[in-house]
Amino acid sequence: MEKVGYILLAIVAAAWLIVILVGMVAAWPYGIVGFVILAGLGLLFAQVVKERLENKEDDYYSKNVDQ
């Protein structure tokens, strides 16, 4: 059930992102600002995910320390 919920949220988020991109293309000269903002947010998100995947200390604590 939880996985189905995540899948539905991912589908809605992807559709929302596509709608935003289409809107930016429609407002082309000024839409480039939105493209730059989305690119910046995407790069920051990728950096956070990369750091989290490479952090062995967080993995150790989440698996071995009692909560």
Side-chain angles (χ1 to χ4, degrees), residues 12-26:
V12 170
W16 180 69
L17 186 60
I18 290 170
V19 169
I20 288 175
L21 291 173
V22 169
M24 281 187 236
V25 170

Side-chain angles (χ1 to χ4, degrees), residues 31-54:
I32 193 72
V33 174
F35 281 122
V36 172
I37 291 170
L38 282 178
L41 288 174
L43 289 172
L44 288 174
F45 181 73
Q47 181 68 28
V48 167
V49 170
K50 178 182 167 227
E51 287 177 3
R52 174 58 191 101
L53 290 175
E54 293 176 349

